[in-house]
Amino acid sequence: MAVDVPAKARRMPGLAIPHRMRWPLGYSAAAVLVFLAYYYMIPNLGPGGQTFFREWLPLTSVNEALVWVICALGLNIVVGYAGLLDLGFVAFWALGGYTAGWLMSGFFYQVDIHLFGGALGTAPGIHISFWLVLLIGAGFCAVWGVIIGAPTLRLKSDYLALVTLGFGEIIPQVFTNGDNVFGFNLTNGTKGITPVDPIAIGSFKLGPFDLVYKYVIFVLIVVVVVFISLRLREGRLGRAWLAIREDELAASMMGVPLMRTKLSAYAVGAVAGGLAGVAFATHVGGVLPDRFNFSISITLLAMVVLGGMGNVWGVMLGALVLAWVNSTGLPQFGTSFNEQFGTDINFPSYNYLLFGGILVLMMLFRREGILPESRTRLVLHEPSRTDMESLGADMEAPAPELDEEPLLKTTAADEPVITDETGTGTGMGMGEKV
Amino acid sequence: MSRSAKIFATVAVTGLALSACGGNASGGAPDSSSGGGTLVIGVDLPLQGASKDASESTVNAMQLYLDQIGSKAGKYKVKLKVYDDSTAAKGAWDDATCAKNAQDHVGNTEEVAVMGTYNSGCAQIIAPVLNQDPSGPMLMVSHANTNPGLTKAWEPGEPEKYFPSGSRSYARVIATDDYQGAAGAQFAAKDLGIKNCYVLNDNQTYGQGVGKAFEEEAKKQGIKVLGNQAWDAKQPNYTALFTSIKASKPECVYLAGIFDNNGGQLVKDKVKVLGDNSKVKLLAPDGFSGYPEFDGLAQAQGAYLTFAGLTATTLREEGGPGADLLDAYKKKYGEDPATSYALYGVEALQVILQAIEKSDGTRKSITEQVFSGSGISIPADKSVVGKKLDIDPKTGDVSVLDISVLQVTDKEEKFLKPWPVS
Amino acid sequence: MAATATSVAVPAAIDRKAVIQRYATYVILLGLVVWLSANLINSPSQFFSAGMVGLNLGMLYALIALGYTLVYGIIELINFAHGDLFMLGALFSGFLLTTVMGQEHSDFLGIVLLLVTIVGTMLFCGGINVTLEFVAYRRLRRAPKLAPLITAVGMSFVLQFIGLKWNGSTPKQWPSVLPEGSFGIGEFQVDYSLLAVIGVTVPVLLLLRWVITSTRQGKAMRAVAQDQDAARLMGVNVNRTISFTFLIGGALAGTAGVMYQQVVGTTAYNLGYQLGLIAFVSAVLGGIGNISGAVLGGILIGLIQGFNDGLPYGFGQKWSQSVVFAILILLMVFKPEGLLGRPTTEKV
């Protein structure tokens, strides 16, 4: 399906949309459509229609799903691009969230700093503009990404998962216990930091019911993260990541600096995690440490795996679907089902089965995800180097990764990695076994 | 085509899965002045995880009470709508779900007031949103939030930061942590004659608050507090923890927290290391009250509990609406409510119903009934907790009920004596 | 890998690194000794009882850690579901002993039924583990490492779901058939339950050691662990050997489950996640893939937790988790091969 559409497009001269533009355009159209729907259509719908949308697709759920998208895209850079399994990604979400908690609330009442913030000028505490806090949160998390990434650099993939998991447990515990750091209340403990200032655009402040504007803001953050993801992937760094993911040893032999490349994956991924944290804090209106547990990291991983590791659009789709199922879909389905059939089944409790089952079934039957990235599929189905060698395989075999489907020998146009003009000369893009 | 077009196109990416979506958009300020119609009271509780049983029995008791009085408040028909503020994946209340529920409460045009939440943290998220409701503020009455900061000056900025519109909209029918902890300390000093005590808290808002209050009052009463440490609900056992406590030779241990947080194991290991409850006294606030599993533990026998209001047994003896409700509950479900919070839930419902009765049926008017004039007052012969209950119109706090001291004996909580609050 | 590559190219750098690492290890060890002595002098009886508690915990960790280490040793997979298997073992034990057989007190019959329960739970957990391998991991044996790892995480959630439905969302209390109380002199007391744990754990470990070193199946396991292809060429049935390993690992988790249910007496659906992680850290501490290492690591981690929670100069229980994970991270930085493991280089 991904292959035959551009062929059709070529046949129709009026609709000459390049293959690589189809997804971005499609998503932009969908985003605008959603905005228009919530802004104009639904408020004018009859009470029945309004109830339907309020129950099945409330804008809060959409906004929450967008936060998940931001975070999942960050994890996608670490896991999907660079192949570094991170089981503690929730740590960055927490760090981003607390950045917002610290800089956008009256928590540090000892000081009085106002910088284009959304709070009244008289309120004590640090009140910095949401936009600045986004930048600060991103930078703060990038630093932490490097700190967390550094000890893992020498490790094999499964050990690495464990160390990240360790950080994913320690950092939230620090926030939970941080109400008395040598007598100083750093995080307010389990009580968390509430409320967080509203987002301010100039002098206009977003109230709790201006969800549709928040939606636009979150969509813009998603765009930034998608843009970063796509641009980096095509560039030098992205190709180095893919090279590491596919064969670390070969990549390092070809001159890819392992240390710097891996750390940058952590840092860039963490930036997205931090953005998500800040966005989430404004979405909820506070930051509470209870949230940041292992199941969040696993849910994020399930989103990346379901959508298709390495494919930005797939991950986005996976995150939207799972976030919606988690927050609204499953409970609402349960309510309707129970009302319809007079049963009393606790559907939300099937969450564990659902997310666990998704991970297992996807790995067993469709490892590449619902929207596969051709390269991932290949890597995940290819026996490891040593196995192939032991079977006497010729490692110089013609590049099979250019085939999207075994029968359709078309070059994948959304795979600009090898054919890209910038790929020459450095040896950085030579991780692929061409 | 490539770069600039791509940048342009990527702007506003998102949501193929969401196409053709909708929902209650900005504001959509509902007008609920459909006089004489059906009004909805939102019930916001965690229905998954550790608090599941407590929440379900609260909902059941409320529904039962509503049926008993004919689902009416003055000229209005009233019904409940239950919202779940927890997720199964977390097994506890969830901040994002609370934020979503807050929007839903305001968005649902028929809804006029909210009963809940169970967790103070969730209330901290919901209260400011309901307060800014353009057609409100919308009334919220909690049966279980004991964090003092929601209604009175406690931490910096509290409670004003929860009421951005400037007027109050949050009330509660339960005494705050400070009373519970203080009563426990006074009882320990005066009746048990204890000279030193060790405080353990469950590292949650409630536990920390009660623990802090106990510690402060204990010092005033001449009890030496040997330490105030957190227990981690996720740990397999607490023998090591009690080993460290044993060295300080306490005469009593105060468990500031909720039984759900692995309290059973904690009590077992307390007895294992420090000896039974006649040797080293065990005290706990109402977070441990109302759990049959706790009362049934061999190691819990002899423990003292404090509890605001009257116990099920005493209520039954005194008769009145509380006894009727308990009897009806037992008849319908075969057992008493799983938690004492169930009765508080009905009490909160009574407050909301009286506010609706006095009002003109709009959110704004219902809230005003609670926070103006003399406020809400439920006489003793109507109140399901068996005592007169007043809501202070200035703060939304309850007039403090006397605290009962209970003792666990023969696998039941027996009423020991009332403890006047000072 | 990368480290090996650089070690050939720049030997001087690796020397300096090794020296720094050695001194860092000395400093950490010295700090540990000072801390322990300070506690010992401050309160010897407390030190002793905290140590006993730690030993008790450590035995349980060791039993769980062995399952991780066996599976890792043979197919290089961190079986994330292993902790949850242990949790199901604890639930099954309570179900069998208390609900089915109705034993709630400590007497002679209780001990007999306990042994029956141990065998039953070993079979139950071993069976589940073999099924997991057959259904999920076997098909992914040739896949890149990320795939079975993610599958194991997924399986962990599926097992937790079973636990949630079985145990309910709140912790459940169980009666114990082990004798209560303790013996000893004055302040230095040893619980009978600790003896029971040692009485079960040590024979199981000796049996395991015998199976691995002296039986045909054990030799096959070691052969498969070294080189699957070579083992196959030598006539070893690789699939059966791997299934057997999962069976043993599961049985060990089951044993741990019974002991936990009896000694601690509280079960919860998310028990396995917590203990599984700690047990995994134990396995890594001892040197993953190494049987004695897992036991050593388990006991060390148990002691560390016991001391941290129970000693006057400990961080207190609320940091217990962080302490364990901090050890994991330090270990990964300074000594990824663990205490008893040998430094390995990946086959290229």
Side-chain angles (χ1 to χ4, degrees):
Chain A
M1 147 251 188
V3 183
D4 55 2
V5 176
K8 260 187 228 152
R10 250 177 261 127
R11 257 179 264 128
M12 288 183 284
L15 262 172
I17 303 169
H19 181 86
R20 57 155 65 176
M21 290 307 296
R22 286 186 306 118
W23 278 103
L25 283 177
Y27 271 93
S28 317
V32 172
L33 210 71
V34 171
F35 173 76
L36 294 177
Y38 278 98
Y39 197 78
Y40 292 110
M41 196 183 86
I42 290 156
N44 300 322
L45 234 51
Q50 284 204 15
T51 310
F52 174 81
F53 278 108
R54 196 180 57 235
E55 283 178 351
W56 285 95
L57 263 177
L59 198 49
T60 32
S61 286
V62 178
N63 286 355
E64 193 195 329
L66 288 174
V67 175
W68 283 98
V69 169
I70 299 166
C71 211
L73 287 174
L75 183 63
N76 180 48
I77 290 174
V78 183
V79 180
Y81 283 4
L84 307 164
L85 182 58
D86 189 330
L87 290 179
F89 207 70
V90 70
F92 300 119
W93 191 332
L95 287 164
Y98 271 92
T99 312
W102 287 325
L103 302 182
M104 292 176 70
S105 76
F107 178 60
F108 289 119
Y109 61 94
Q110 301 93 334
V111 291
D112 192 3
I113 299 171
H114 287 262
L115 209 60
F116 317 111
L120 292 173
T122 51
I126 306 176
H127 301 276
I128 296 179
S129 159
F130 170 73
W131 308 101
L132 277 174
V133 173
L134 271 183
L135 291 180
I136 298 169
F140 184 58
C141 282
V143 172
W144 271 98
V146 173
I147 293 174
I148 292 177
T152 67
L153 291 176
R154 300 192 307 162
L155 305 175
K156 287 188 286 177
S157 61
D158 34 14
Y159 278 32
L160 188 148
L162 257 295
V163 170
T164 51
L165 196 156
F167 275 110
E169 294 285 316
I170 291 178
I171 289 178
Q173 191 159 51
V174 168
F175 285 128
T176 308
N177 294 338
D179 52 349
N180 188 0
V181 183
F182 304 110
F184 181 70
N185 183 357
L186 184 66
T187 64
N188 212 20
T190 41
K191 291 185 284 297
I193 301 172
T194 50
V196 165
D197 296 343
I199 300 174
I201 306 164
S203 61
F204 177 64
K205 288 168 195 160
L206 293 188
F209 306 107
D210 294 329
L211 292 174
V212 82
Y213 299 111
K214 236 182 222 176
Y215 164 80
V216 174
I217 290 169
F218 287 2
V219 162
L220 287 177
I221 299 175
V222 173
V223 167
V224 170
V225 178
V226 167
F227 184 72
I228 292 173
S229 295
L230 289 177
R231 290 310 296 169
L232 282 181
R233 189 184 183 289
E234 289 180 20
R236 208 174 228 250
L237 192 57
R239 280 174 289 124
W241 285 338
L242 296 191
I244 286 185
R245 183 185 78 187
E246 292 179 19
D247 193 329
E248 201 175 305
L249 186 71
S252 76
M253 292 304 176
M254 289 302 188
V256 174
L258 285 183
M259 181 93 108
R260 213 190 317 147
T261 315
K262 281 185 177 182
L263 279 185
S264 57
Y266 273 111
V268 177
V271 163
L275 293 177
V278 175
F280 187 73
T282 56
H283 170 69
V284 164
V287 47
L288 294 125
D290 280 3
R291 168 163 204 86
F292 306 115
N293 56 27
F294 183 60
S295 65
I296 300 284
S297 301
I298 293 304
T299 311
L300 283 169
L301 186 66
M303 288 166 174
V304 173
V305 167
L306 178 72
M309 271 188 275
N311 184 346
V312 167
W313 308 113
V315 170
M316 186 185 280
L317 199 62
L320 287 173
V321 169
L322 283 191
W324 176 77
V325 165
N326 194 22
S327 73
T328 313
L330 202 55
Q332 192 55 38
F333 174 77
T335 316
S336 310
F337 185 92
N338 286 338
E339 268 175 21
Q340 193 76 32
F341 298 100
T343 49
D344 191 20
I345 302 169
N346 186 352
F347 278 93
S349 72
Y350 286 79
N351 245 344
Y352 273 101
L353 186 64
L354 190 76
F355 288 145
I358 284 174
L359 288 178
V360 174
L361 295 178
M362 291 305 282
M363 279 298 120
L364 285 180
F365 300 111
R366 201 177 161 85
R367 246 171 270 160
E368 60 275 16
I370 41 177
L371 278 185
E373 190 226 25
S374 55
R375 188 170 306 273
T376 319
R377 168 159 51 182
L378 210 87
V379 173
L380 285 169
H381 279 292
E382 168 190 52
S384 72
R385 255 177 68 91
T386 43
D387 292 334
M388 271 175 83
E389 277 171 346
S390 70
L391 297 170
D394 182 8
M395 297 310 286
E396 302 301 318
E401 61 258 41
L402 295 182
D403 300 345
E404 279 236 288
E405 306 274 327
L407 294 175
L408 286 164
K409 297 254 174 193
T410 325
T411 42
D414 61 346
E415 278 304 312
V417 183
I418 300 160
T419 50
D420 202 319
E421 64 282 356
T422 55
T424 50
T426 60
M428 282 271 285
M430 300 300 282
E432 299 89 25
K433 298 175 284 286
V434 195
Chain B
M1 183 67 193
S2 62
R3 301 253 159 99
S4 56
K6 190 164 182 182
I7 299 169
F8 167 74
T10 325
V11 170
V13 174
T14 285
L16 192 65
L18 302 171
S19 52
C21 318
N24 59 311
S26 52
D31 175 39
S32 41
S33 58
S34 45
T38 303
L39 301 180
V40 171
I41 299 173
V43 180
D44 205 312
L45 296 170
L47 297 171
Q48 313 284 333
S51 315
K52 175 169 168 274
D53 294 345
S55 298
E56 278 174 358
S57 62
T58 306
V59 172
N60 289 341
M62 288 170 67
Q63 189 59 53
L64 204 59
Y65 177 77
L66 212 54
D67 293 345
Q68 279 183 349
I69 60 162
S71 300
K72 273 203 149 85
K75 57 180 174 168
Y76 303 102
K77 259 186 95 55
V78 173
K79 67 175 188 184
L80 303 179
K81 180 168 164 54
V82 181
Y83 294 79
D84 185 357
D85 59 37
S86 63
T87 61
K90 255 180 90 175
W93 70 278
D94 174 76
D95 43 7
T97 315
C98 292
K100 173 173 174 280
N101 284 358
Q103 296 287 339
D104 285 352
H105 292 311
V106 176
N108 188 349
T109 43
E110 291 175 339
E111 197 168 317
V112 291
V114 178
M115 170 0 248
T117 59
Y118 187 71
N119 305 85
S120 299
C122 191
Q124 287 169 5
I125 291 172
I126 295 184
V129 178
L130 298 187
N131 188 255
Q132 294 173 71
D133 176 7
S135 65
M138 193 168 174
L139 175 66
M140 175 172 178
V141 183
S142 169
H143 65 309
N145 297 156
T146 53
N147 183 8
L150 282 161
T151 48
K152 49 186 149 188
W154 193 246
E155 280 176 9
E158 285 181 338
E160 290 77 18
K161 65 180 184 181
Y162 302 115
F163 307 106
S165 76
S167 62
R168 298 283 185 113
S169 58
Y170 172 89
R172 58 178 146 202
V173 297
I174 190 164
T176 46
D177 295 336
D178 31 350
Y179 294 108
Q180 280 276 326
Q186 288 163 8
F187 172 74
K190 290 180 179 155
D191 279 38
L192 300 178
I194 279 166
K195 290 278 167 289
N196 64 57
C197 200
Y198 203 99
V199 181
L200 285 173
N201 70 71
D202 63 0
N203 217 3
Q204 300 288 316
T205 313
Y206 168 77
Q208 285 176 341
V210 178
K212 188 175 142 201
F214 180 91
E215 198 178 338
E216 280 166 7
E217 182 67 24
K219 279 175 194 152
K220 283 183 208 152
Q221 299 289 336
I223 298 179
K224 192 175 170 218
V225 175
L226 300 167
N228 185 350
Q229 216 195 122
W231 84 78
D232 179 355
K234 285 193 285 180
Q235 287 302 316
N237 70 52
Y238 302 100
T239 29
L241 179 66
F242 282 109
T243 307
S244 75
I245 293 171
K246 193 180 181 182
S248 57
K249 298 197 174 60
E251 287 175 41
C252 99
V253 174
Y254 188 73
L255 303 180
I258 299 175
F259 178 70
D260 287 328
N261 292 324
N262 211 359
Q265 189 58 37
L266 194 71
V267 173
K268 281 192 206 170
D269 287 335
K270 183 259 161 196
V271 172
K272 190 174 165 189
V273 178
L274 298 180
D276 66 26
N277 299 332
S278 58
K279 208 169 105 199
V280 177
K281 303 275 186 280
L282 187 67
L283 278 89
D286 63 356
F288 275 72
S289 163
Y291 291 93
E293 200 160 338
F294 172 73
D295 302 340
L297 271 179
Q299 289 89 342
Q301 305 310 312
Y304 297 98
L305 303 174
T306 53
F307 175 71
L310 298 172
T311 61
T313 340
T314 327
L315 269 181
R316 281 218 168 85
E317 280 162 12
E318 292 196 356
D324 292 347
L325 186 68
L326 281 173
D327 290 342
Y329 192 98
K330 193 152 193 172
K331 201 172 152 202
K332 189 165 179 192
Y333 298 100
E335 56 186 8
D336 279 335
T339 160
S340 40
Y341 287 117
L343 282 181
Y344 286 120
V346 179
E347 191 71 52
L349 182 63
Q350 286 185 315
V351 170
I352 295 173
L353 290 175
Q354 197 182 78
I356 291 177
E357 203 176 327
K358 287 161 106 182
S359 74
D360 62 7
T362 60
R363 290 177 181 177
K364 191 167 193 287
S365 155
I366 290 169
T367 310
E368 276 169 2
Q369 304 312 313
V370 182
F371 294 97
S372 64
S374 57
I376 298 289
S377 173
I378 311 236
D381 61 329
K382 286 235 181 92
S383 160
V384 289
V385 291
K387 298 205 169 168
K388 183 168 182 288
L389 180 124
D390 296 303
I391 301 286
D392 183 346
K394 285 200 191 66
T395 61
D397 253 330
V398 66
S399 59
V400 180
L401 299 167
D402 275 357
I403 286 180
S404 307
V405 178
L406 319 173
Q407 191 175 20
V408 181
T409 34
D410 299 330
K411 311 207 162 182
E412 259 183 54
E413 288 169 19
K414 299 268 167 63
F415 179 75
L416 206 63
K417 64 187 296 185
W419 198 265
V421 169
S422 55
Chain C
M1 303 185 337
T4 7
T6 39
S7 74
V8 179
V10 240
I14 207 81
D15 277 357
R16 206 184 318 136
K17 225 175 184 177
V19 169
I20 293 171
Q21 284 187 9
R22 196 179 315 142
Y23 281 111
T25 319
Y26 290 154
V27 168
I28 290 171
L29 284 179
L30 190 72
L32 205 64
V33 169
V34 168
W35 176 66
L36 287 177
S37 334
N39 281 306
L40 182 62
I41 294 162
N42 183 290
S43 164
S45 71
Q46 200 178 339
F47 187 86
F48 180 78
S49 38
M52 285 298 125
V53 171
L55 193 62
N56 205 334
L57 271 180
M59 289 281 183
L60 290 170
Y61 293 157
L63 278 176
I64 310 173
L66 277 171
Y68 278 111
T69 256
L70 283 175
V71 168
Y72 191 89
I74 201 154
I75 55 170
E76 297 213 338
L77 162 72
I78 299 175
N79 185 7
F80 262 99
H82 192 77
D84 302 288
L85 189 68
F86 152 79
M87 176 269 298
L88 288 184
L91 293 189
F92 185 78
S93 161
F95 169 73
L96 195 64
L97 189 61
T98 311
T99 314
V100 175
M101 303 200 281
Q103 181 69 25
E104 298 197 350
H105 306 287
S106 165
D107 51 23
F108 179 71
L109 181 68
I111 302 298
V112 175
L113 291 182
L114 178 64
L115 292 177
V116 174
T117 309
I118 290 178
V119 175
T121 313
M122 281 172 112
L123 289 176
F124 174 77
C125 286
I128 293 185
N129 217 17
V130 171
T131 317
L132 286 190
E133 197 271 334
F134 185 75
V135 171
Y137 305 144
R138 179 167 297 184
R139 304 175 50 136
L140 299 171
R141 212 176 285 157
R142 294 264 165 194
K145 263 188 180 171
L146 207 54
L149 203 57
I150 293 175
T151 313
V153 173
M155 276 299 176
S156 155
F157 263 57
V158 172
L159 294 189
Q160 276 196 50
F161 169 76
I162 298 173
L164 180 68
K165 287 285 153 190
W166 192 358
N167 186 72
S169 55
T170 44
K172 214 169 177 174
Q173 313 293 332
W174 299 96
S176 169
V177 305
L178 296 175
E180 278 180 34
S182 55
F183 68 96
I185 315 149
E187 295 273 299
F188 300 89
Q189 296 284 326
V190 179
D191 288 339
Y192 288 119
S193 61
L194 176 62
L195 290 189
V197 173
I198 293 174
V200 171
T201 312
V202 171
V204 166
L205 293 182
L206 291 176
L207 188 72
L208 181 70
R209 200 165 177 81
W210 175 76
V211 166
I212 288 175
T213 50
S214 309
T215 62
R216 235 183 122 71
Q217 197 57 255
K219 281 179 192 152
M221 276 167 70
R222 282 181 291 151
V224 172
Q226 275 191 356
D227 193 327
Q228 282 191 23
D229 296 312
R232 188 178 291 115
L233 291 173
M234 291 296 157
V236 174
N237 185 339
V238 172
N239 277 344
R240 208 181 69 191
T241 310
I242 292 178
S243 289
F244 181 74
T245 312
F246 272 85
L247 180 74
I248 296 188
L252 289 169
T255 318
V258 178
M259 295 325 291
Y260 184 87
Q261 186 262 342
Q262 282 300 309
V263 173
V264 175
T266 308
T267 55
Y269 75 96
N270 51 6
L271 179 76
Y273 164 64
Q274 181 78 11
L275 267 92
L277 281 183
I278 296 175
F280 183 80
V281 176
S282 314
V284 174
L285 177 63
I288 193 150
N290 184 315
I291 307 248
S292 325
V295 177
L296 178 70
I299 292 175
L300 279 181
I301 293 281
L303 286 175
I304 289 167
Q305 270 202 315
F307 287 144
N308 175 60
D309 297 4
L311 288 187
Y313 303 126
F315 290 104
Q317 195 176 34
K318 65 178 179 178
W319 294 105
S320 203
Q321 182 107 330
S322 295
V323 167
V324 172
F325 283 109
I327 291 171
L328 175 78
I329 291 165
L330 283 177
L331 204 67
M332 286 294 166
V333 176
F334 290 113
K335 204 168 163 56
E337 68 274 11
L339 294 178
L340 298 185
R342 275 169 307 167
T344 51
T345 46
E346 206 164 273
K347 284 174 273 181
V348 182

